[in-house]
Amino acid sequence: MNKIKLLIADDHRIFREGIQALLVKEAGIEIVAEASSADEIYNILESKEIDLVLMDIDLDGSSGIEATRKITMANNNIAVLALSMHSDHSYIMKMLDAGAKGYILKNTGKDEMIAAIKAVYNGASYFSSDVSQKLISQLVNKKRSNSSDIPLTRRETEILRLIAREYSNSEIADELFISIRTVDTHKRNLLEKLGLKNTAGLVKYAIQNGLLND
């Protein structure tokens, strides 16, 4: 089994060391490097193989939001999971718009952090419970976007709903009795049809259009 190659990006050394202490004995995760600034992140990504960046919003002299945007635009094989003290809706949305696939808070426990890392690595989205509540409370009260007029097939709606409920591709396949390849095809079609960039965009669309209320 391949280990998840992790880069920890945070401007506080003591916090980076704390994360390492929590995860160092986790069998499925390998901490490859750590960084305190965006420039350090970019240099590491050029020289080392990284699967996932655990990204703080506040970096040394730079923004984790902008770093996330550059990383996800340059290489869609590298996933970004936000780990932040900021629980404001605006910060959450900026990170998701930048391409982060998940958002957890710094008061998250070890087990949930590991679950989030594994979920995002496997292509799902992950939000800590407080973050999920903020997203839902904000988005369900907004006017539905014009894209809600785009017709989806019954199967596309089923898959979109399961994606928003944090099901992995294999779990969706098992739930709907279809192949993982078919799930991948539907997901690509959904992204193209709705004009979205990633799984986080699909989750936002599902919440905004009330699919989790059904």
Side-chain angles (χ1 to χ4, degrees):
M1 178 180 177
N2 294 331
K3 290 187 176 183
I4 302 170
K5 296 178 175 60
L6 183 68
L7 166 59
I8 302 171
D10 191 282
D11 59 336
H12 291 102
R13 179 178 177 182
I14 191 169
F15 189 80
R16 298 195 305 271
E17 291 177 348
I19 296 297
Q20 289 196 53
L22 284 176
L23 301 179
V24 67
K25 293 184 179 180
E26 181 61 28
I29 298 173
E30 177 186 355
I31 301 172
V32 175
E34 61 176 73
S36 63
S37 68
D39 286 341
E40 288 183 1
I41 295 172
Y42 305 146
N43 289 335
I44 291 168
L45 294 181
E46 288 180 359
S47 61
K48 298 181 183 295
E49 183 180 348
I50 301 294
D51 296 316
L52 188 146
V53 180
L54 194 59
M55 180 78 75
D56 188 16
I57 288 178
D58 300 313
L59 298 176
D60 188 8
S62 51
S63 165
I65 296 170
E66 185 57 30
T68 297
R69 193 183 315 280
K70 289 184 178 180
I71 292 168
T72 55
M73 288 181 65
N75 191 335
N76 58 15
N77 291 322
I78 300 175
V80 175
L81 171 62
L83 176 62
S84 177
M85 62 179 288
H86 298 294
S87 61
D88 292 347
H89 177 260
S90 61
Y91 283 106
I92 298 168
M93 295 307 297
K94 286 177 182 177
M95 279 299 283
L96 296 182
D97 288 339
K101 292 184 177 179
Y103 196 113
I104 57 177
L105 300 178
K106 285 190 173 181
N107 61 4
T108 296
K110 174 184 175 181
D111 290 343
E112 184 173 22
M113 183 182 299
I114 292 171
I117 290 170
K118 291 181 177 179
V120 168
Y121 171 74
N122 287 313
S125 296
Y126 193 100
F127 306 103
S128 56
S129 57
D130 289 346
V131 173
S132 294
Q133 288 301 317
K134 285 184 178 293
L135 285 173
I136 292 171
S137 63
Q138 289 286 335
L139 291 177
V140 296
N141 293 324
K142 285 185 177 181
K143 183 179 180 180
R144 293 186 176 184
S145 65
N146 292 333
S147 60
S148 63
D149 295 330
I150 299 173
L152 300 179
T153 66
R154 179 181 60 82
R155 180 65 84 196
E156 287 172 340
T157 301
E158 289 173 339
I159 290 175
L160 183 56
R161 185 178 291 117
L162 293 175
I163 290 171
R165 289 174 177 163
E166 301 178 5
Y167 279 57
S168 67
N169 284 4
S170 61
E171 289 171 335
I172 294 173
D174 291 341
E175 179 76 13
L176 300 180
F177 303 103
I178 57 179
S179 69
I180 294 177
R181 178 174 294 182
T182 300
V183 175
D184 286 333
T185 299
H186 280 299
K187 185 179 287 188
R188 287 195 300 270
N189 290 341
L190 281 166
L191 289 170
E192 183 176 352
K193 180 182 284 190
L194 299 175
L196 301 171
K197 295 180 180 179
N198 50 40
T199 302
L202 292 175
V203 173
K204 288 193 293 181
Y205 178 91
I207 295 172
Q208 193 168 14
N209 288 280
L211 295 183
L212 295 184
N213 298 330
D214 297 341

